[in-house]
Amino acid sequence: MSISVEKVKLELNRIKLLGFVENVKSDDNDGAIGNTFEHYLGVKENNLKDADFEGWEIKTKKQYSKTATTLFSKKPSFPEKGDRYMLNKFGEADEDFPNCTNLNTTIYCNKIKQYYNNYFYQLELKEDQINLIVKDKNKKIFDNKVYWKFEHLIAGSKKLKNTIIVTAKKEIFKNKINFKYISFTALINFKFENLIDAFKNGRVVYEHRWSPDKTGDNKGKDHNHGGGFRVRRKEDLEKLFESKVEI
């Protein structure tokens, strides 16, 4: 564990010693936990392909949360503008905003799942790519054009090479949400072959996350929250790496 480890440990412990700190966002999901942590770490909010801090990717989780962790977001290798293609092809009209479209799924390699009482979805692992297979209600192929090449997944996962998992508690003080960062796990040397094994076993999935904003300036407008490759359990995330160290 050599990548700026001393500086990282000092910064993590500094934030831990702050105790409860006020949420910098208006909500209290895992994204808010991450945004608040990065604020105190001095990192600007971003969705870039590079690691967050001193060569380390930062992933934050609320204590006891069962929410999946996004490994990375990646548009399909084909077709061009693949996120929009999938929304237009498979999405359903939103109940509150019928002119907008929803597409929210969790798709596995090891099982097929139906959404919106309509299409069935499954990932298909090939020699050098992952295909999205979509079937109609009769289990006949409706679409199999979408795929992700391994070379693009490798590029997307590059920032994960060394990752720190941050766990936080949540408390409400004077009607304001506060977080306390209580533990840190360093995951070292991400292995792409481990990711492929995790796909095979259903431990890593692909999720569509299209839905219109319900509030704010963009209320009633389509919003792509980022089609992502995600993992639900911390122990499955840890298995993607060569080793781990509790900081």
Side-chain angles (χ1 to χ4, degrees):
M1 198 166 72
S2 60
I3 299 180
S4 307
V5 65
E6 292 305 321
K7 181 175 181 179
V8 170
K9 286 175 68 174
L10 285 172
E11 285 297 292
L12 296 181
N13 285 322
R14 177 183 65 79
I15 293 172
K16 186 175 183 178
L17 290 172
L18 292 175
F20 281 99
V21 293
E22 189 172 321
N23 180 16
V24 300
K25 305 292 279 189
S26 59
D27 51 31
D28 68 336
N29 57 24
D30 283 345
I33 293 173
N35 294 143
T36 301
F37 183 81
E38 290 179 353
H39 170 79
Y40 285 95
L41 191 61
V43 176
K44 292 183 179 179
E45 182 178 346
N46 71 80
N47 292 304
L48 301 178
K49 63 183 180 180
D50 299 320
D52 291 321
F53 181 73
E54 297 292 324
W56 293 86
E57 176 72 356
I58 306 293
K59 300 289 185 185
T60 52
K61 292 285 288 183
K62 193 186 302 178
Q63 191 179 30
Y64 309 124
S65 172
K66 295 182 180 180
T67 303
T69 297
T70 299
L71 297 172
F72 57 95
S73 296
K74 196 67 181 174
K75 295 179 181 179
S77 304
F78 184 88
E80 187 178 1
K81 298 181 180 179
D83 286 344
R84 178 62 65 173
Y85 172 86
M86 291 187 287
L87 179 69
N88 293 340
K89 192 85 172 181
F90 316 131
E92 296 282 327
D94 183 78
E95 290 184 0
D96 298 323
F97 302 100
N99 292 329
C100 295
T101 309
N102 280 326
L103 183 60
N104 291 285
T105 67
T106 299
I107 309 174
Y108 298 79
C109 273
N110 65 338
K111 61 183 175 182
I112 191 168
K113 289 193 68 176
Q114 186 182 32
Y115 287 92
Y116 305 107
N117 196 32
N118 198 355
Y119 300 119
F120 291 86
Y121 298 81
Q122 189 168 16
L123 297 176
E124 179 185 48
L125 197 60
K126 305 295 282 186
E127 184 177 349
D128 63 349
Q129 65 188 47
I130 294 177
N131 298 336
L132 174 61
I133 307 299
V134 182
K135 298 181 179 180
D136 62 22
K137 291 182 179 180
N138 298 315
K139 298 288 187 74
K140 293 184 178 179
I141 297 291
F142 174 74
D143 191 281
N144 60 359
K145 295 179 180 178
V146 178
Y147 62 82
W148 293 263
K149 299 290 289 185
F150 281 4
E151 61 187 280
H152 297 146
L153 296 180
I154 289 170
S157 63
K158 183 179 178 181
K159 67 178 183 179
L160 296 173
K161 181 172 176 59
N162 294 287
T163 296
I164 294 173
I165 307 301
V166 178
T167 303
K169 284 183 178 179
K170 177 189 121 175
E171 295 285 352
I172 297 177
F173 301 120
K174 297 181 180 180
N175 297 318
K176 293 186 177 181
I177 297 166
N178 286 253
F179 301 119
K180 181 179 181 181
Y181 299 95
I182 57 175
S183 66
F184 310 96
T185 304
L187 306 179
I188 303 161
N189 200 10
F190 175 83
K191 295 290 188 181
F192 185 75
E193 56 268 32
N194 294 3
L195 178 67
I196 298 304
D197 286 339
F199 275 123
K200 291 177 183 177
N201 298 320
R203 298 194 304 268
V204 172
V205 299
Y206 178 81
E207 293 188 344
H208 293 111
R209 291 185 291 166
W210 276 97
S211 59
D213 285 340
K214 302 293 185 177
T215 59
D217 295 339
N218 293 317
K219 181 179 178 179
K221 294 182 180 180
D222 281 332
H223 184 177
N224 185 5
H225 299 271
F229 294 94
R230 309 186 83 197
V231 58
R232 190 162 299 280
R233 301 192 306 170
K234 184 183 177 184
E235 54 264 41
D236 290 333
L237 174 58
E238 292 172 355
K239 290 175 183 176
L240 302 179
F241 294 79
E242 193 172 83
S243 60
K244 72 170 184 175
V245 176
E246 300 295 336
I247 298 179

